Amino acid sequence: MTDQNVEKVALQTEESRNQSRRTFLKGSAAVAGGVLFTKAASADAQMGFDPKKAVAPYAGKAEITDVLQDQAARKSLGFGVRKYPYGMPSPFEKEVQRRTLEWLTPDSMASITMTPIQSLHGIITPNGLHFERFHGGVPTINPDDHRLVIHGLVERPLIFTMDDLKRFPSVSKIVTVECPANGALEWKGVQLNSVQWTHGMMSCVEYTGVRLSDLLKEAGIKPEGKWLIPEGADASGMARSLPLEIAMDDCFIAYAQNGEALRREQGYPIRLVVPGCEANMWVKYLRRIMVHDVPMQHREETSKYTELMPDGTAQRFSWYMEANSVITYPSPDFKMQGPGKYYVRGLAWSGRGKVAHVDVTFDGGKNWKEAHFTSAVLDKAWTRFEVEWDWDGSETFLMSRTTDETGYVQPPMPQMRSLEGTNNVYHRTAMVTWRVHAWEDGKNGGMIENVQY
Amino acid sequence: MFSTKKTFVAAAIATLFTGSAFAMSGSSDGAATGGDKIDGKYAANFEQIIKDADGKYLDRAVIEAILGADAAHGRDGLMGKLDPANPYSFEVEDSIDGGNHGNAQCKIPLAFTEVHDNVKANYTHDSDFVARGFGTPISEASLEIWDIVVDGDGKGLPDPSVGMTVEEGGKVYVQFCGMCHGDFGEGAKGYLPLAVEEDLVTSDFSAPAPMKAVGNYWPYAVTLFDYIRRTMPFWTPNAPYIGDAGYMGMTGYILQSNYIPMDDEGTELEDETFFNAEVLMKMNKYMKNQGNFFCDHRPVIHNARCMTNCDDSLVGDGKGDINNFKQARLLPDGTPQYNVPQRMHEDKPGVGHSGM
């Protein structure tokens, strides 16, 4: 379209706005309570209408008519059933992928990918986008050859086939699984501009399986049995020490994820689910649970997954994931569409229970507005929040803050840094800040940048 | 109880001399409702206090009612949680000195009432449970083939007859480990170094994170044997051609590279020392950093949920300035460019540390 047309569209838009305002003003005299609106409208008239600041994203641009033409989708048949016996997303969604940073780890068998949280909606992570964390690559295990053993300080050591496990009463639960290194890249400052990098080491799916307490009672724990040592059948032989209290609280052994069998990346055929606790404890490819009197002091609970404090001491057995939240829209993957109304949305979760409140600030933490929930509010699961925001086009510092049902309030980063330093690696659960650049800011106008206080 | 936690003890003494009270030792607990105290410090009726507050056991007012007025404040709150009698403590009595550097344990704090209620319902008070009889009994003997767990006390280590000299162990190490971890444990190809002497305290918050290796960080020597037998060499873990003797020898070589002593005199391994489970257990008591670990102390921050005109300490940079923020590194033309230090090989690869 020519420049003339662009101008014409802009003028038309202005005209129609003025026209509708006149109509509105005329009618408003008859409307009770119309005074307030009239005031707002006349303030607008004083400022004058600038098509570049129009709320509608197409205003001031070329009129879009090409897309109204019937295309192949309308004029020819689509593909038939069973073209894809296992369905895949539209090719236009091909950028929505798990991604990794090649510099994080020296090889891909002991590495991590992050979930594209900025592209997700609701509270469920599709199985193909569930984040991955391997310590020895992904084994492909035939479930017919796989067994689970419970032994050690038990009355009756037992061996279970996968069919045995499915014979037990089942439990289905939507829970968040989060690597405690989620957010680790941000301890010393910001590095990357995407929620995928700042918060992507987590997912939220519906797991189905058998209660761990049922299996442990079946084997009968001896009084001196205080710890469980779950162990995987993969190359890393992953193991951790789990206190009996956590095991008997709400753990289960999952064989399904979002309605289908676990994916290999997530532990097929079975994995341990430890709701609310760091994902390293959720041992995948689970093959045995040894009931023991003391913890094991495995490398993953001594050398790793411990938090170095500023004074040189270190915190160990930091099982619980603290309450956390992040704004996913707008976030650094997006650009503002101009001043006007936005529905700021994001995710909140807590390893200690349900999310009670989420508040959002637009001024760097001075004042807060409570968001409402647009999803179910579930125990130890993602909760989707949303809050209305009128953006005036000026520079804004967006943050979200969650309060969970235990009364814990998510802290700001300077506070967490002053107490815990920056060498922890794990459990960086303070708020992040999205800086929305002013709309009139040259090439960066409307850009959303990850910054840190 | 805290004798091995040198840093904390030093810090606690420093705090006492500056005049501010050590965490819960004060009597400023006017907020506590019950008369009875645990150890004269903590409200004995903490369960009732939590119940009355709708189970909000981490609410600032609830914590202060149970522990006293100072408990909800940063470093003091952390120090107070080193006392196992504190209802918010993860620590277990005698966990640290149960034997010199014995197997440290941690627990779920008593104040996490919801967890304990679930444990009662699912286990300790579940008198109705009837076994379903699914699954098949199996003998411990038949599981020996899987039994590779060595715990912090050394249970599960091979017989003392299994081992080799440190020198022989070094040869096995160079053959199977050196290409990724360096012949002297200095690291290679981005894989983790096993022996570096870096200070765990950095000069300031922006300084590069210290490298954590066996000598300067690992609390247990036995963990090394368990881990390398379980997972190494990376491409062919738990290799039968290395066997327990080979894994024992490699363990000895790595501990020697880290200068771990085996007695109060600081005796170190000689090349001709026959390294076996007994020597390993001696060294397990002399890991340099063992006394510096403590159980989870979180949460350490107990903010009130402020909605309007919040205090400057909670706004922006922590001093009320919302324009004082850090950005990712920029290229000369102002383009945000991330991960510059790693790409330029200025920083080691890793998530704020060397490898995951």
Side-chain angles (χ1 to χ4, degrees):
Chain A
M1 252 183 198
T2 64
D3 288 349
Q4 270 180 332
N5 279 346
V6 172
E7 205 175 308
K8 200 173 129 201
V9 170
L11 284 172
Q12 279 174 347
T13 311
E14 186 174 9
E15 220 168 72
S16 67
R17 281 175 64 102
N18 289 338
Q19 207 167 18
S20 58
R21 188 185 300 135
R22 275 195 298 275
T23 319
F24 177 73
L25 286 173
K26 213 194 282 177
S28 67
V31 179
V35 181
L36 196 69
F37 293 105
T38 313
K39 254 168 95 180
S42 37
D44 193 349
Q46 277 166 11
M47 283 161 62
F49 175 66
D50 178 356
K52 281 188 194 144
K53 286 189 182 171
V55 174
Y58 63 85
K61 293 179 191 161
E63 179 89 66
I64 302 155
T65 54
D66 291 354
V67 292
L68 301 179
Q69 302 301 316
D70 282 340
Q71 311 224 350
R74 175 74 187 89
K75 291 295 185 188
S76 59
L77 284 174
F79 62 73
V81 296
R82 242 174 63 78
K83 162 105 169 161
Y84 302 104
Y86 195 100
M88 295 295 284
S90 161
F92 295 101
E93 297 296 318
K94 68 179 192 301
E95 294 303 318
V96 181
Q97 291 182 5
R98 301 191 277 232
R99 292 180 192 278
T100 190
L101 300 159
E102 72 283 356
W103 47 271
L104 274 179
T105 52
D107 64 66
S108 62
M109 275 67 74
S111 190
I112 190 158
T113 59
M114 287 77 143
T115 292
I117 288 175
Q118 69 280 1
S119 307
L120 299 186
H121 305 277
I123 59 169
I124 298 291
T125 309
N127 285 340
L129 295 175
H130 192 297
F131 84 100
E132 307 163 284
R133 173 68 172 115
F134 316 142
H135 292 255
V138 175
T140 300
I141 294 171
N142 181 343
D144 293 343
D145 300 336
H146 193 75
R147 296 290 183 276
L148 173 69
V149 169
I150 297 180
H151 75 119
L153 296 171
V154 295
E155 304 293 346
R156 296 172 294 281
L158 290 171
I159 182 166
F160 299 96
T161 63
M162 299 305 100
D163 286 343
D164 288 338
L165 294 179
K166 286 175 187 163
R167 207 173 152 189
F168 279 92
S170 66
V171 53
S172 290
K173 238 178 167 179
I174 296 173
V175 274
T176 300
V177 51
E178 183 179 16
C179 175
N182 202 13
L185 284 79
E186 308 271 305
W187 271 114
K188 288 189 190 288
V190 280
Q191 291 207 70
L192 296 156
N193 255 332
S194 172
V195 184
Q196 186 157 13
W197 305 128
T198 59
H199 291 80
M201 297 184 197
M202 64 165 177
S203 297
C204 183
V205 299
E206 184 203 56
Y207 292 102
T208 301
V210 47
R211 275 182 210 87
L212 185 53
S213 57
D214 280 355
L215 295 183
L216 293 173
K217 284 184 280 189
E218 196 79 20
I221 294 176
K222 290 182 176 170
E224 59 271 32
K226 299 289 180 205
W227 292 80
L228 307 188
I229 299 171
E231 185 180 88
D234 61 330
S236 75
M238 178 54 69
R240 283 286 299 251
S241 306
L242 189 68
L244 199 59
E245 286 90 347
I246 290 183
M248 291 300 187
D249 179 356
D250 53 357
C251 290
F252 55 105
I253 292 168
Y255 41 76
Q257 160 182 328
N258 286 341
E260 62 179 357
L262 291 180
R263 292 286 170 93
R264 284 174 296 174
E265 297 95 311
Q266 278 82 44
Y268 183 86
I270 51 170
R271 86 173 304 170
L272 189 59
V273 173
V274 191
C277 291
E278 52 185 37
N280 183 250
M281 298 160 72
W282 301 37
V283 174
K284 300 188 283 185
Y285 325 105
L286 185 68
R287 78 170 184 182
R288 71 162 165 158
I289 294 172
M290 181 174 143
V291 181
H292 207 50
D293 55 346
V294 292
M296 179 187 169
Q297 312 292 356
H298 184 275
R299 182 252 197 186
E300 310 296 354
E301 56 199 12
T302 53
S303 167
K304 301 291 163 184
Y305 301 99
T306 51
E307 291 82 54
L308 182 59
M309 297 285 135
D311 61 3
T313 61
Q315 168 179 282
R316 70 172 138 215
F317 292 137
S318 38
W319 299 306
Y320 289 103
M321 298 303 301
E322 296 201 295
N324 203 341
S325 66
V326 64
I327 293 168
T328 58
Y329 174 88
S331 68
D333 283 281
F334 301 93
K335 199 171 179 184
M336 301 303 281
Q337 297 175 30
K341 197 176 284 300
Y342 288 85
Y343 295 90
V344 174
R345 57 183 76 106
L347 293 169
W349 64 100
S350 169
R352 295 200 183 93
K354 291 187 182 70
V355 169
H357 308 279
V358 178
D359 307 307
V360 173
T361 180
F362 304 99
D363 57 7
K366 194 78 184 162
N367 298 289
W368 298 81
K369 186 176 178 186
E370 176 150 20
H372 63 274
F373 300 126
T374 58
S375 72
V377 180
L378 303 170
D379 209 32
K380 304 173 182 180
W382 279 354
T383 306
R384 182 66 71 167
F385 65 85
E386 195 166 285
V387 66
E388 199 177 314
W389 176 40
D390 287 302
W391 187 42
D392 61 4
S394 63
E395 185 181 51
T396 305
F397 295 93
L398 284 178
M399 295 193 263
S400 64
R401 176 189 71 191
T402 187
T403 304
D404 71 15
E405 64 176 342
T406 68
Y408 172 77
V409 182
Q410 188 186 359
M413 188 62 197
Q415 205 179 10
M416 180 166 268
R417 189 170 48 225
S418 69
L419 280 166
E420 309 224 325
T422 56
N423 294 334
N424 317 37
V425 181
Y426 309 100
H427 296 286
R428 202 206 60 76
T429 53
M431 303 171 206
V432 292
T433 306
W434 305 146
R435 174 193 183 200
V436 180
H437 288 242
W439 186 239
E440 302 290 350
D441 185 15
K443 68 177 166 113
N444 290 335
M447 190 174 98
I448 301 150
E449 184 187 6
N450 178 20
V451 298
Q452 188 178 98
Y453 286 124
Chain B
M1 160 70 210
F2 303 140
S3 59
T4 53
K5 297 189 171 180
K6 296 177 194 123
T7 319
F8 282 125
V9 173
I13 290 165
T15 314
L16 283 173
F17 278 119
T18 55
S20 63
F22 171 45
M24 262 59 74
S25 59
S27 55
S28 55
D29 42 50
T33 51
D36 288 345
K37 298 279 184 191
I38 304 167
D39 285 3
K41 298 174 200 163
Y42 322 114
N45 63 335
F46 66 88
E47 282 169 327
Q48 190 60 42
I49 294 173
I50 291 166
K51 204 176 158 199
D52 292 346
D54 293 333
K56 290 183 185 163
Y57 59 86
L58 293 180
D59 185 273
R60 184 183 183 130
V62 172
I63 294 172
E64 290 185 355
I66 293 170
L67 300 184
D70 298 332
H73 300 285
R75 224 61 193 163
D76 286 350
L78 158 61
M79 305 277 282
K81 287 175 193 166
L82 292 180
D83 178 2
N86 180 336
Y88 284 90
S89 176
F90 281 82
E91 302 281 351
V92 176
E93 198 66 63
D94 295 333
S95 66
I96 307 293
D97 289 336
N100 190 9
H101 297 243
N103 196 338
Q105 304 209 31
C106 298
K107 66 168 191 273
I108 306 294
L110 294 173
F112 290 19
T113 46
E114 195 184 345
V115 178
H116 296 289
D117 288 347
N118 284 343
V119 173
K120 282 177 200 156
N122 294 333
Y123 181 47
T124 44
H125 293 189
D126 178 19
S127 52
D128 297 335
F129 179 79
V130 178
R132 295 177 177 87
F134 306 157
T136 310
I138 187 170
S139 70
E140 287 288 343
S142 60
L143 286 167
E144 262 172 34
I145 191 166
W146 279 4
D147 195 11
I148 54 167
V149 170
V150 178
D151 71 19
D153 292 330
K155 263 181 277 173
L157 283 172
D159 187 87
S161 64
V162 177
M164 58 177 63
T165 66
V166 174
E167 189 173 10
E168 287 169 325
K171 286 179 186 153
V172 181
Y173 173 90
V174 169
Q175 187 181 351
F176 294 106
C177 323
M179 74 290 272
C180 291
H181 294 291
D183 283 357
F184 304 97
E186 73 277 17
K189 297 192 292 198
Y191 287 91
L192 293 170
L194 303 174
V196 290
E197 267 309 313
E198 284 193 24
D199 195 340
L200 294 175
V201 180
T202 50
S203 52
D204 62 67
F205 288 161
S206 60
M211 197 82 80
K212 294 180 283 188
V214 176
N216 70 341
Y217 194 72
W218 287 42
Y220 293 88
V222 286
T223 302
L224 192 60
F225 177 80
D226 173 279
Y227 188 68
I228 61 179
R229 184 173 69 169
R230 177 181 293 273
T231 63
M232 294 291 148
F234 190 54
W235 310 104
T236 53
N238 196 230
Y241 47 81
I242 294 176
D244 282 358
Y247 284 113
M248 195 54 84
M250 294 188 317
T251 305
Y253 180 73
I254 296 165
L255 290 171
Q256 186 196 40
S257 307
N258 281 281
Y259 308 105
I260 308 295
M262 60 176 105
D263 56 30
D264 285 343
E265 282 71 52
T267 310
E268 287 176 9
L269 288 172
E270 302 291 338
D271 286 351
E272 51 276 11
T273 311
F274 184 79
F275 193 84
N276 61 8
E278 280 172 3
V279 184
L280 176 58
M281 282 312 290
K282 280 187 199 169
M283 303 183 91
N284 202 41
K285 296 180 169 59
Y286 288 94
M287 295 298 279
K288 297 175 218 171
N289 195 42
Q290 184 154 34
N292 283 326
F293 283 81
F294 58 92
C295 294
D296 193 359
H297 63 294
R298 298 167 307 150
V300 288
I301 299 166
H302 305 284
N303 293 337
R305 182 174 164 243
C306 159
M307 295 304 287
T308 50
N309 202 22
C310 300
D311 189 76
D312 278 354
S313 63
L314 298 172
V315 178
D317 63 355
K319 299 183 185 83
D321 184 355
I322 67 164
N323 290 306
N324 180 24
F325 52 82
K326 291 192 276 285
Q327 288 176 285
R329 250 169 83 168
L330 305 177
L331 290 182
D333 71 348
T335 315
Q337 183 69 47
Y338 303 104
N339 174 31
V340 176
Q342 276 94 357
R343 288 191 195 166
M344 307 286 285
H345 300 285
E346 290 168 25
D347 277 7
K348 296 151 191 157
V351 188
H353 73 311
S354 208
M356 292 188 63

